[in-house]
Amino acid sequence: MRKVKVGIIGCGTISAIYMKNIPTFTHLELVACADINKERARAQAEKFQIPEVLTVEELLESPTVELVINLTIPKVHAEIALKALRNGKHVYGEKPLAVTLDEGKEILAVAKEKGYLIGSAPDTFLGAGVQTVIQLIEEGVIGQLIGASAFMIGRGPEHWHPEPAFFYKEGGGPMFDMGPYYLTALVAMLGPIRRLSGTTRISYAERQILSAPHAGAAMTVETPTHIAGTLDFASGAVATLTTSFDAFGGSTLPPIEIYGSEGTIVVPDPNTFGGVVKLRRRDEEAFTEIPLIHTYDENSRGIGVADMARAIVTSKPYRANGELAYHVLEAMHGFHKSSDTGMFYQMQSTCEKPRPIPVGHQF
């Protein structure tokens, strides 16, 4: 079975789970890694037995690497993706696809022009949790879709992240940091978004870093940190979404609930692959836990890359694709634009609802 040769750019914290998981997938072979800090790349290569440690430019120009996994910080996602595409490589990036809509459009246009695939995290919607929910919906267990509610509410990353400042710049905030997980899961379950509305605020103009190594330093906040809105889906379903870095003590609200004419489903945290799925049918008095019916219930980051590599080898469609990622990117910007204008934001893009993964399928 042919394996697609993969190179990773960006050897920070998130790279470890990709490097661990890639050898477990049928169509992937990790052959090189690179980072602006070459010692960091060298350390990861030694830990995960990666054959080559290259500079970023060397990896982008490598004749061996077919697919670049782009794990850089958001503000350079587009720059690296475009260089990789123009060097004749497929690209899969961490979320979001890009910071601006213009960057996202350019990535899709260049990928189409050059004939290479573009994919993007999150791929958590391919895990056993959300895929079990999708199967319940597809089987009609909750009847006609009515709506959903979603909540990502907590304190900001300055409490735990070693470098939290970028979370409060353009392209950051709870919507751009965590919104991709929630919006991608909602689109995977309910289909594409038709229009949305949003209200945003910056609750604190300045925040203090509480985590090492910059504890005590002040950060200026340049992006909204509390966003609430509604979404109208092309399917007719109506949802609400709240994302916040401004609530302390956590939340007792479920991450996502899906409502239908015949019942309600409690969806697990879309930032995980497994979790607990609960169902309450119309004639029942309580929720019942539903066994997960799909394979990937542990941290399976990289499954989206594996699905994309299968598409490269077989020419079949893949799920965590550029059109889905751009649709989610536009929706995130739409919440901010709706708040700024005081009007509904009409989505200009659409995407295919990702196909469910067959039960028992292995990538």
Side-chain angles (χ1 to χ4, degrees):
M1 189 69 70
R2 183 169 103 74
K3 290 183 178 288
V4 175
K5 297 185 185 303
V6 174
I8 289 178
I9 297 178
C11 295
T13 303
I14 193 66
S15 69
I17 191 63
Y18 281 91
M19 293 170 177
K20 176 186 175 183
N21 288 344
I22 282 173
T24 69
F25 295 120
T26 303
H27 293 295
L28 292 177
E29 180 183 359
L30 182 54
V31 298
C33 66
D35 193 280
I36 55 173
N37 180 337
K38 199 162 186 178
E39 289 305 312
R40 184 161 56 194
R42 191 170 285 114
Q44 290 293 76
E46 182 176 341
K47 182 176 180 180
F48 294 99
Q49 300 179 331
I50 302 169
E52 280 197 290
V53 178
L54 305 173
T55 66
V56 172
E57 291 302 322
E58 286 171 344
L59 193 149
L60 288 169
E61 296 172 1
S62 168
T64 303
V65 173
E66 300 172 77
L67 190 161
V68 170
I69 299 179
N70 180 8
L71 305 182
T72 57
I73 60 174
K75 70 178 182 180
V76 294
H77 280 182
E79 177 186 346
I80 295 296
L82 290 167
K83 285 182 178 179
L85 289 167
R86 287 170 174 144
N87 275 282
K89 304 186 189 310
H90 308 281
V91 182
Y92 182 95
E94 254 303 321
K95 51 82 185 172
L97 174 67
V99 171
T100 71
L101 291 178
D102 285 344
E103 288 174 339
K105 289 177 183 175
E106 186 178 6
I107 290 170
L108 295 187
V110 172
K112 183 177 181 180
E113 174 195 345
K114 299 292 185 181
Y116 294 101
L117 302 188
I118 186 78
S120 179
D123 56 3
T124 44
F125 75 97
L126 301 176
V130 171
Q131 287 296 311
T132 297
V133 174
I134 290 171
Q135 177 145 334
L136 292 172
I137 293 171
E138 295 283 321
E139 291 177 350
V141 171
I142 61 169
Q144 180 182 351
L145 287 173
I146 293 171
S149 57
F151 304 93
M152 195 300 296
I153 299 175
R155 59 185 188 173
E158 69 272 23
H159 291 80
W160 57 270
H161 198 282
E163 300 288 343
F166 75 90
F167 286 98
Y168 297 99
K169 306 295 184 185
E170 181 187 7
M175 179 56 71
F176 282 84
D177 178 42
M178 295 300 294
Y181 297 106
Y182 287 77
L183 288 165
T184 303
L186 287 169
V187 171
M189 293 183 289
L190 305 178
I193 304 159
R194 181 174 63 86
R195 70 173 187 174
L196 56 82
S197 66
T199 300
T200 71
R201 65 172 288 174
I202 295 176
S203 300
Y204 311 103
E206 186 175 275
R207 300 172 82 118
Q208 187 180 52
I209 298 176
L210 301 175
S211 56
H214 305 296
M219 300 180 295
T220 301
V221 178
E222 299 175 4
T223 192
T225 53
H226 187 93
I227 301 99
T230 62
L231 304 105
D232 293 354
F233 291 83
S235 64
V238 176
T240 60
L241 172 64
T242 301
T243 65
S244 182
F245 281 164
D246 299 340
F248 298 92
S251 171
T252 58
L253 297 166
I256 302 177
E257 288 185 340
I258 305 293
Y259 311 116
S261 60
E262 301 299 320
T264 295
I265 303 173
V266 177
V267 184
D269 183 346
N271 190 21
T272 66
F273 289 83
V276 175
V277 175
K278 294 181 180 180
L279 169 67
R280 181 179 178 180
R281 292 182 171 89
R282 185 171 63 171
D283 57 352
E284 295 175 341
E285 295 298 320
F287 282 92
T288 302
E289 184 172 337
I290 302 298
L292 301 184
I293 56 176
H294 288 272
T295 307
Y296 296 95
D297 61 352
E298 300 295 333
N299 190 340
S300 303
R301 274 181 171 80
I303 187 174
V305 188
D307 190 27
M308 184 170 152
R310 182 191 58 84
I312 293 169
V313 172
T314 66
S315 299
K316 293 181 179 179
Y318 61 108
R319 296 167 178 88
N321 55 58
E323 287 73 21
L324 171 61
Y326 180 81
H327 190 62
V328 167
L329 178 66
E330 185 189 1
M332 294 191 295
H333 278 283
F335 284 108
H336 290 219
K337 291 181 178 181
S338 173
S339 183
D340 292 343
T341 63
M343 300 172 63
F344 273 104
Y345 177 81
Q346 303 288 336
M347 293 288 289
Q348 301 301 302
S349 69
T350 189
C351 65
E352 294 290 330
K353 184 175 179 288
R355 294 172 299 111
I357 298 174
V359 175
H361 181 78
Q362 298 283 333
F363 286 97

